[in-house]
mmCIF file with all atom_site columns, all heavy atoms in Angstrom:
data_model
loop_
_atom_site.group_PDB
_atom_site.id
_atom_site.type_symbol
_atom_site.label_atom_id
_atom_site.label_alt_id
_atom_site.label_comp_id
_atom_site.label_asym_id
_atom_site.label_entity_id
_atom_site.label_seq_id
_atom_site.pdbx_PDB_ins_code
_atom_site.Cartn_x
_atom_site.Cartn_y
_atom_site.Cartn_z
_atom_site.occupancy
_atom_site.B_iso_or_equiv
_atom_site.pdbx_formal_charge
_atom_site.auth_seq_id
_atom_site.auth_comp_id
_atom_site.auth_asym_id
_atom_site.auth_atom_id
_atom_site.pdbx_PDB_model_num
ATOM 1  N N   . LYS A 1 102 ? 3.318  48.677 2.336  1.00 81.00 ? 102 LYS A N   1
ATOM 2  C CA  . LYS A 1 102 ? 2.744  48.297 3.623  1.00 81.00 ? 102 LYS A CA  1
ATOM 3  C C   . LYS A 1 102 ? 1.564  47.382 3.340  1.00 81.00 ? 102 LYS A C   1
ATOM 4  O O   . LYS A 1 102 ? 0.760  47.655 2.446  1.00 81.00 ? 102 LYS A O   1
ATOM 5  C CB  . LYS A 1 102 ? 2.278  49.527 4.396  1.00 81.00 ? 102 LYS A CB  1
ATOM 6  C CG  . LYS A 1 102 ? 3.410  50.378 4.878  1.00 81.00 ? 102 LYS A CG  1
ATOM 7  C CD  . LYS A 1 102 ? 2.926  51.451 5.813  1.00 81.00 ? 102 LYS A CD  1
ATOM 8  C CE  . LYS A 1 102 ? 4.126  52.237 6.311  1.00 81.00 ? 102 LYS A CE  1
ATOM 9  N NZ  . LYS A 1 102 ? 3.769  53.176 7.347  1.00 81.00 ? 102 LYS A NZ  1
ATOM 10 N N   . LEU A 1 103 ? 1.472  46.299 4.104  1.00 80.00 ? 103 LEU A N   1
ATOM 11 C CA  . LEU A 1 103 ? 0.405  45.330 3.906  1.00 80.00 ? 103 LEU A CA  1
ATOM 12 C C   . LEU A 1 103 ? -0.601 45.411 5.046  1.00 80.00 ? 103 LEU A C   1
ATOM 13 O O   . LEU A 1 103 ? -0.228 45.721 6.181  1.00 80.00 ? 103 LEU A O   1
ATOM 14 C CB  . LEU A 1 103 ? 0.992  43.915 3.840  1.00 80.00 ? 103 LEU A CB  1
ATOM 15 C CG  . LEU A 1 103 ? 2.063  43.674 2.790  1.00 80.00 ? 103 LEU A CG  1
ATOM 16 C CD1 . LEU A 1 103 ? 2.615  42.270 2.917  1.00 80.00 ? 103 LEU A CD1 1
ATOM 17 C CD2 . LEU A 1 103 ? 1.538  43.914 1.400  1.00 80.00 ? 103 LEU A CD2 1
ATOM 18 N N   . ASP A 1 104 ? -1.868 45.106 4.742  1.00 80.00 ? 104 ASP A N   1
ATOM 19 C CA  . ASP A 1 104 ? -2.871 45.063 5.798  1.00 80.00 ? 104 ASP A CA  1
ATOM 20 C C   . ASP A 1 104 ? -2.897 43.660 6.413  1.00 80.00 ? 104 ASP A C   1
ATOM 21 O O   . ASP A 1 104 ? -2.067 42.811 6.081  1.00 80.00 ? 104 ASP A O   1
ATOM 22 C CB  . ASP A 1 104 ? -4.243 45.493 5.274  1.00 80.00 ? 104 ASP A CB  1
ATOM 23 C CG  . ASP A 1 104 ? -4.777 44.601 4.161  1.00 80.00 ? 104 ASP A CG  1
ATOM 24 O OD1 . ASP A 1 104 ? -4.143 43.563 3.883  1.00 80.00 ? 104 ASP A OD1 1
ATOM 25 O OD2 . ASP A 1 104 ? -5.819 44.930 3.586  1.00 80.00 ? 104 ASP A OD2 1
ATOM 26 N N   . ALA A 1 105 ? -3.838 43.397 7.292  1.00 82.00 ? 105 ALA A N   1
ATOM 27 C CA  . ALA A 1 105 ? -3.902 42.127 8.013  1.00 82.00 ? 105 ALA A CA  1
ATOM 28 C C   . ALA A 1 105 ? -4.131 40.937 7.075  1.00 82.00 ? 105 ALA A C   1
ATOM 29 O O   . ALA A 1 105 ? -3.700 39.817 7.358  1.00 82.00 ? 105 ALA A O   1
ATOM 30 C CB  . ALA A 1 105 ? -5.003 42.179 9.057  1.00 82.00 ? 105 ALA A CB  1
ATOM 31 N N   . ASP A 1 106 ? -4.800 41.180 5.953  1.00 81.00 ? 106 ASP A N   1
ATOM 32 C CA  . ASP A 1 106 ? -5.091 40.104 5.003  1.00 81.00 ? 106 ASP A CA  1
ATOM 33 C C   . ASP A 1 106 ? -3.932 39.845 4.042  1.00 81.00 ? 106 ASP A C   1
ATOM 34 O O   . ASP A 1 106 ? -4.010 38.938 3.226  1.00 81.00 ? 106 ASP A O   1
ATOM 35 C CB  . ASP A 1 106 ? -6.337 40.441 4.178  1.00 81.00 ? 106 ASP A CB  1
ATOM 36 C CG  . ASP A 1 106 ? -7.559 40.613 5.056  1.00 81.00 ? 106 ASP A CG  1
ATOM 37 O OD1 . ASP A 1 106 ? -7.615 39.938 6.106  1.00 81.00 ? 106 ASP A OD1 1
ATOM 38 O OD2 . ASP A 1 106 ? -8.446 41.410 4.699  1.00 81.00 ? 106 ASP A OD2 1
ATOM 39 N N   . GLY A 1 107 ? -2.891 40.657 4.121  1.00 75.00 ? 107 GLY A N   1
ATOM 40 C CA  . GLY A 1 107 ? -1.757 40.482 3.210  1.00 75.00 ? 107 GLY A CA  1
ATOM 41 C C   . GLY A 1 107 ? -1.899 41.254 1.918  1.00 75.00 ? 107 GLY A C   1
ATOM 42 O O   . GLY A 1 107 ? -1.079 41.125 1.016  1.00 75.00 ? 107 GLY A O   1
ATOM 43 N N   . GLU A 1 108 ? -2.943 42.072 1.812  1.00 78.00 ? 108 GLU A N   1
ATOM 44 C CA  . GLU A 1 108 ? -3.143 42.897 0.627  1.00 78.00 ? 108 GLU A CA  1
ATOM 45 C C   . GLU A 1 108 ? -2.324 44.183 0.756  1.00 78.00 ? 108 GLU A C   1
ATOM 46 O O   . GLU A 1 108 ? -2.128 44.685 1.860  1.00 78.00 ? 108 GLU A O   1
ATOM 47 C CB  . GLU A 1 108 ? -4.625 43.247 0.463  1.00 78.00 ? 108 GLU A CB  1
ATOM 48 C CG  . GLU A 1 108 ? -5.520 42.045 0.241  1.00 78.00 ? 108 GLU A CG  1
ATOM 49 C CD  . GLU A 1 108 ? -5.241 41.344 -1.075 1.00 78.00 ? 108 GLU A CD  1
ATOM 50 O OE1 . GLU A 1 108 ? -5.007 42.023 -2.084 1.00 78.00 ? 108 GLU A OE1 1
ATOM 51 O OE2 . GLU A 1 108 ? -5.241 40.100 -1.068 1.00 78.00 ? 108 GLU A OE2 1
ATOM 52 N N   . VAL A 1 109 ? -1.901 44.725 -0.383 1.00 77.00 ? 109 VAL A N   1
ATOM 53 C CA  . VAL A 1 109 ? -1.108 45.954 -0.371 1.00 77.00 ? 109 VAL A CA  1
ATOM 54 C C   . VAL A 1 109 ? -1.994 47.116 0.047  1.00 77.00 ? 109 VAL A C   1
ATOM 55 O O   . VAL A 1 109 ? -3.021 47.399 -0.575 1.00 77.00 ? 109 VAL A O   1
ATOM 56 C CB  . VAL A 1 109 ? -0.493 46.214 -1.776 1.00 77.00 ? 109 VAL A CB  1
ATOM 57 C CG1 . VAL A 1 109 ? 0.239  47.537 -1.795 1.00 77.00 ? 109 VAL A CG1 1
ATOM 58 C CG2 . VAL A 1 109 ? 0.436  45.083 -2.162 1.00 77.00 ? 109 VAL A CG2 1
ATOM 59 N N   . LYS A 1 110 ? -1.603 47.781 1.127  1.00 80.00 ? 110 LYS A N   1
ATOM 60 C CA  . LYS A 1 110 ? -2.356 48.933 1.633  1.00 80.00 ? 110 LYS A CA  1
ATOM 61 C C   . LYS A 1 110 ? -1.794 50.222 1.049  1.00 80.00 ? 110 LYS A C   1
ATOM 62 O O   . LYS A 1 110 ? -2.530 51.090 0.601  1.00 80.00 ? 110 LYS A O   1
ATOM 63 C CB  . LYS A 1 110 ? -2.261 48.942 3.159  1.00 80.00 ? 110 LYS A CB  1
ATOM 64 C CG  . LYS A 1 110 ? -3.139 49.939 3.838  1.00 80.00 ? 110 LYS A CG  1
ATOM 65 C CD  . LYS A 1 110 ? -3.207 49.647 5.322  1.00 80.00 ? 110 LYS A CD  1
ATOM 66 C CE  . LYS A 1 110 ? -2.598 50.791 6.087  1.00 80.00 ? 110 LYS A CE  1
ATOM 67 N NZ  . LYS A 1 110 ? -2.696 50.616 7.536  1.00 80.00 ? 110 LYS A NZ  1
#
Side-chain angles (χ1 to χ4, degrees):
K102 290 189 178 187
L103 304 176
D104 61 7
D106 299 329
E108 297 294 320
V109 176
K110 188 167 116 177

